Amino acid sequence: MKMEYVIGTWNIPSLPIVGSDARFPVRRIFCVGRNYVEHQKEMGGDGREQPFFFAKSAHDLVPEGGSIHYPPMTTNFHWETELVAVIGTGGYRISSNKADDHIWGYAVGLDMTRRDLQQVGKDKGRPWTFGKDFDQSAPVGPISPASTIGHPKKGRLWLKVNGEFRQNSDIDQMIWSVPEQIAFLTQYYTLEAGDLVMTGTPAGVGPAKPGDELVAGIDGLGELRVQTLPPR
Ligand code: MN
């Protein structure tokens, strides 16, 4: 029986796939915090702490990047270039040595952040929602299937802003590897097919201005381009 809804429905958020016309439907977006040593230092952390996560709505996605508006209620809108792991097979209490089997593919993503609002959350012990989970805060490029590229453990990750390098690291510099993140996360959640995991950013985060051009890349996964527009 066809379900009837009392208001109009919306499309399932989705991402394009390299080498295919089909799209990947996205369910949830989990993001790890402070997962590269040099970024942890620049944010004021020390040493290897347990990983922690926050979430963005799948409706924050900006598939393949493009133009995004400078968001409201911030004067400190930061970029964070990240490897995105795409879950194709769900699971609960996945062990780190089996985690790769649950990953469908990988993409380049930007965890765009209203740093000033995130700081209010930190200072006052409030959620990070306003700092992290807002309209157009998750540009993500096309997914490269693991069936084609395997499971990258090393590869340069970089961001250019208006042609200048601002982030330049390697995904092998993560504090918690992608499989370790999945093992940790699935102690708390049942991961489902369609979930994304944004796996943290290296040092070099900074504020974007209206009119900036951001080009993020990871070896083997291509580039993600984002242009910031004036506020709406
Ligand atoms: Mn991040």
Side-chain angles (χ1 to χ4, degrees), residues 87-166:
I87 304 299
T89 308
Y92 176 58
R93 293 180 173 166
I94 297 169
S95 64
S96 59
N97 63 345
K98 293 270 167 45
D100 281 352
D101 298 343
H102 294 260
I103 300 175
W104 195 90
Y106 297 87
V108 182
L110 282 163
D111 166 17
M112 299 304 293
T113 301
R114 293 191 284 209
R115 192 72 72 201
D116 41 4
L117 300 190
Q118 181 196 24
Q119 191 60 48
V120 171
K122 289 182 185 179
D123 292 345
K124 301 204 170 184
R126 291 178 185 161
W128 285 9
T129 308
F130 281 16
K132 288 291 194 177
D133 176 8
F134 54 95
D135 298 345
Q136 302 187 312
S137 64
V140 177
I143 300 169
S144 295
S147 59
T148 309
I149 63 153
H151 296 277
K153 305 299 178 191
K154 183 170 176 45
R156 191 163 156 251
L157 174 154
W158 50 270
L159 174 75
K160 278 185 186 176
V161 180
N162 303 326
E164 273 185 39
F165 280 110
R166 302 302 296 265

Side-chain angles (χ1 to χ4, degrees), residues 12-26 63-64 86 104 141-145:
I12 295 172
S14 66
L15 290 169
I17 296 162
V18 174
S20 170
D21 291 331
R23 292 181 72 90
F24 190 93
V26 177
E64 293 185 275
V86 177
W104 195 90
I143 300 169
S144 295

Side-chain angles (χ1 to χ4, degrees), residues 50 91-94 180-190:
Q50 285 287 295
Y92 176 58
R93 293 180 173 166
I94 297 169
E180 287 173 331
Q181 291 180 48
I182 288 171
F184 184 87
L185 202 46
T186 58
Q187 293 180 303
Y188 294 82
Y189 287 90
T190 304

Side-chain angles (χ1 to χ4, degrees), residues 31-35 39 54 56 79-82 110-113 115 118 128 132 198-202 205:
C31 310
V32 72
R34 293 189 182 180
N35 196 39
H39 175 62
F54 56 90
K56 290 177 186 266
W79 55 74
E80 296 190 358
T81 306
E82 311 207 356
L110 282 163
D111 166 17
M112 299 304 293
T113 301
R115 192 72 72 201
Q118 181 196 24
W128 285 9
K132 288 291 194 177
M198 299 192 74
T199 63
T201 198
V205 300

